[in-house]
Amino acid sequence: METVQLKINTYDAFNRISLLEIEKVTAFLYKHLGEYGDSSAAIRKAIEYAAKERTGLGGYIFTLEDKDTIVAACVVNKTGMDEYIPENILVYIATHEEYRGKGVGKKLMQYVIDNTKGDIALHVEKDNPAKFLYEKLGFTNPYLEMRLKR
């Protein structure tokens, strides 16, 4: 696999994503997030939020493709906040299992960092191997997250 052939697509309020692409990205993330993923409905909801045209909200969907095949995808939602909460939350990122360990995830992550405005937060499980990539790219863990689930 040569990474030179890979093409990055960015979808946002200005570069609209089609319903067919939403289905394609949802299916890709559902399959390749594996044990670290959510339901297909939850993934689609995050994609639809990112795709909406709203002042200060919405977000981005990024895909890295080899010809017409998605090899990595990422969903970033804007929070509408700044200074006290990061402006962006990276909700989902996954690399196709056949492309893992080849720099594809790093390439997409760097593109996401370079093409989003403001701070970026993400949640990663402590045993997820991607945690090391995030740390290499400058992400830190300054807080312990606590949740009240209802």
Side-chain angles (χ1 to χ4, degrees):
M1 179 211 65
E2 293 183 29
T3 57
V4 205
Q5 299 173 1
L6 299 179
K7 175 186 169 197
I8 297 180
N9 296 309
T10 303
Y11 303 101
D12 57 19
F14 304 102
N15 186 19
R16 309 298 294 158
I17 188 169
S18 70
L19 291 175
L20 183 61
E21 284 295 315
I22 288 174
E23 289 301 322
K24 189 174 167 184
V25 175
T26 300
F28 174 85
L29 287 170
Y30 181 74
K31 178 177 181 181
H32 294 285
L33 284 167
E35 65 182 292
Y36 302 108
D38 292 322
S39 70
S40 189
I43 293 167
R44 184 181 176 103
K45 194 174 192 178
I47 292 170
E48 288 173 345
Y49 179 93
K52 286 194 177 175
E53 231 178 302
R54 293 181 267 194
T55 307
L57 295 177
Y60 310 91
I61 300 109
F62 300 100
T63 61
L64 189 56
E65 298 184 16
D66 185 0
K67 298 181 177 99
D68 287 335
T69 304
I70 297 176
V71 298
C74 180
V75 178
V76 176
N77 288 164
K78 292 181 183 177
T79 65
M81 300 174 231
D82 64 1
E83 295 184 25
Y84 59 99
I85 300 254
E87 293 91 334
N88 303 285
I89 182 156
L90 191 152
V91 186
Y92 298 110
I93 186 165
T95 301
H96 190 289
E97 56 200 18
E98 292 176 17
Y99 287 77
R100 291 182 187 155
K102 298 179 181 179
V104 171
K106 182 178 182 180
K107 180 177 180 168
L108 182 58
M109 220 22 230
Q110 190 61 59
Y111 186 85
V112 169
I113 291 167
D114 294 343
N115 289 278
T116 54
K117 209 172 157 188
D119 294 342
I120 304 169
L122 61 82
H123 295 118
V124 61
E125 294 184 29
K126 62 184 174 195
D127 61 339
N128 186 329
K131 179 178 178 273
F132 300 108
L133 170 63
Y134 305 142
E135 290 170 341
K136 282 184 189 177
L137 291 169
F139 285 83
T140 60
N141 185 16
Y143 305 106
L144 174 64
E145 178 182 335
M146 299 176 78
R147 292 184 181 188
L148 173 64
K149 289 200 168 211
R150 296 174 187 241

